[in-house]
């Protein structure tokens, strides 16, 4: 039952070519920077994983975290709500060059598609996107005189998330806004890896405060002082560092 991992490399070792990987976070809040960088390290060392489909709220900023993963050519496709954010130059350049695909999903619909997968709901209806290009070729139906678009659940092979506290059983809590997409992604993925600021003993988290139950988490790695994307970008950081 002990789900703790000895290091970051071990934590991301199960991610393979062609997988769909959900990455938590809303901008830099709740983004698992260290897990993403560990995956980049493995790619630099071995050439794998590659051809990934990445699910995230945005397309990353600067040259760290998700943007750095995209810059390394590891992603075949990005499913997100905001491909244009503060500094999305990496994704923008690759997209305009035809080197990465984009599936644009309204933010509420993205969250609900992920939640539906975790709840075992294969499809649902939403009025969002009706009459736009995003709804093209999608089934529609009227409810109470209003048109709705049918959307499908969104599953993943792996989720990489950031939490505040975790225990060896995989129970998690989150710090403030870092909760965002992370709990939903834990439920929608077949295998979830969580980086936490501190691992406590079993029972160290009050059951009433557990946000993500351990049944949805398969690996936990402790990162006592996690990096913040915005701080890295203000320092003009790049990952991996250029010699």
């Amino acid at each position: 039952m002990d789900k703790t991992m000895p290091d970051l490399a071990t934590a991301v070792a199960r991610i393979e070519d062609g997988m769909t990987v959900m990455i938590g976070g809303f901008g830099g809040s709740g983004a698992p920077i260290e897990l993403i960088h560990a995956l980049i390290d493995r790619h630099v060392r071995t050439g794998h994983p590659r051809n990934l489909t990445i699910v995230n709220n945005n397309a990353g900023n600067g040259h760290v975290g998700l943007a750095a993963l995209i810059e390394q050519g590891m992603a075949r496709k990005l499913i997100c709500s905001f491909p244009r954010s503060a500094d999305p130059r990496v994704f923008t350049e690759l997209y305009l060059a035809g080197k990465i695909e984009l599936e644009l999903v309204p933010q509420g619909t993205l969250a609900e598609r992920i939640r539906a997968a975790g709840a075992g709901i294969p499809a649902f209806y939403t009025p969002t996107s009706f009459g736009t290009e995003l709804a093209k070729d999608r089934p529609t139906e009227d409810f109470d005189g209003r048109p709705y678009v049918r959307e499908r659940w969104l599953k993943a092979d792996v989720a990489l998330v950031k939490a505040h506290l975790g225990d060896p059983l995989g129970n998690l809590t989150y710090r403030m806004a870092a909760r965002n997409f992370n709990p939903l992604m834990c439920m929608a993925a077949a295998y979830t890896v969580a980086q936490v600021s501190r691992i406590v003993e079993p029972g160290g988290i009050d059951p009433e405060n557990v946000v993500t139950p351990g049944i949805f988490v398969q690996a936990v790695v402790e990162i006592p002082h996690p990096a913040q994307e915005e701080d890295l970008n203000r320092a003009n950081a790049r990952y991996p560092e250029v010699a």
Side-chain angles (χ1 to χ4, degrees), residues 90-112:
V90 169
F91 171 79
T92 301
E93 291 174 1
L94 290 176
Y95 180 72
L96 292 176
K99 295 182 179 180
I100 189 171
E101 299 177 34
L102 171 65
E103 180 179 339
L104 189 63
V105 184
Q107 189 176 69
T109 303
L110 179 65
E112 185 63 8

Side-chain angles (χ1 to χ4, degrees), residues 27 50 62 64 87 92 112 116 211 217 231:
R50 56 190 178 187
V64 298
D87 184 15
T92 301
E112 185 63 8
V211 177
V217 178
D231 291 340

Side-chain angles (χ1 to χ4, degrees), residues 40 47 53 57 69 91 93 95 98 104 107 137 159 162 174 179 184-185 188 210 215 224:
I40 294 172
T53 295
N57 182 63
L69 184 152
F91 171 79
E93 291 174 1
Y95 180 72
L104 189 63
Q107 189 176 69
D137 299 326
K162 178 183 179 181
Y174 302 87
R179 182 167 175 169
L184 300 180
M185 290 181 171
V210 170
I215 192 172

Side-chain angles (χ1 to χ4, degrees), residues 41-140:
D41 291 341
R42 181 174 153 214
H43 180 265
V44 170
R45 186 174 68 253
T46 68
H48 304 279
R50 56 190 178 187
N51 296 324
L52 300 174
T53 295
I54 301 296
V55 181
N56 189 262
N57 182 63
N58 54 49
N61 290 292
H63 299 274
V64 298
L66 175 58
L69 184 152
I70 293 172
E71 192 166 30
Q72 290 295 312
M74 299 167 63
R76 176 188 67 83
K77 179 179 180 179
L78 178 66
I79 302 174
C80 77
S81 295
F82 293 96
R84 297 298 301 272
S85 48
D87 184 15
R89 73 185 75 174
V90 169
F91 171 79
T92 301
E93 291 174 1
L94 290 176
Y95 180 72
L96 292 176
K99 295 182 179 180
I100 189 171
E101 299 177 34
L102 171 65
E103 180 179 339
L104 189 63
V105 184
Q107 189 176 69
T109 303
L110 179 65
E112 185 63 8
R113 287 181 66 189
I114 297 169
R115 191 199 70 82
I121 301 170
F124 62 92
Y125 286 88
T126 174
T128 306
S129 82
F130 181 82
T132 73
E133 290 186 13
L134 296 183
K136 185 179 180 181
D137 299 326
R138 295 182 184 272
T140 62

Side-chain angles (χ1 to χ4, degrees), residues 147-171:
Y148 287 75
V149 179
R150 191 176 79 190
E151 295 283 355
R152 293 201 60 189
W153 58 11
L154 184 56
K155 297 181 176 183
D157 300 295
V158 178
L160 302 180
V161 304
K162 178 183 179 181
H164 180 52
L165 297 181
D167 67 19
L169 304 179
N171 297 304

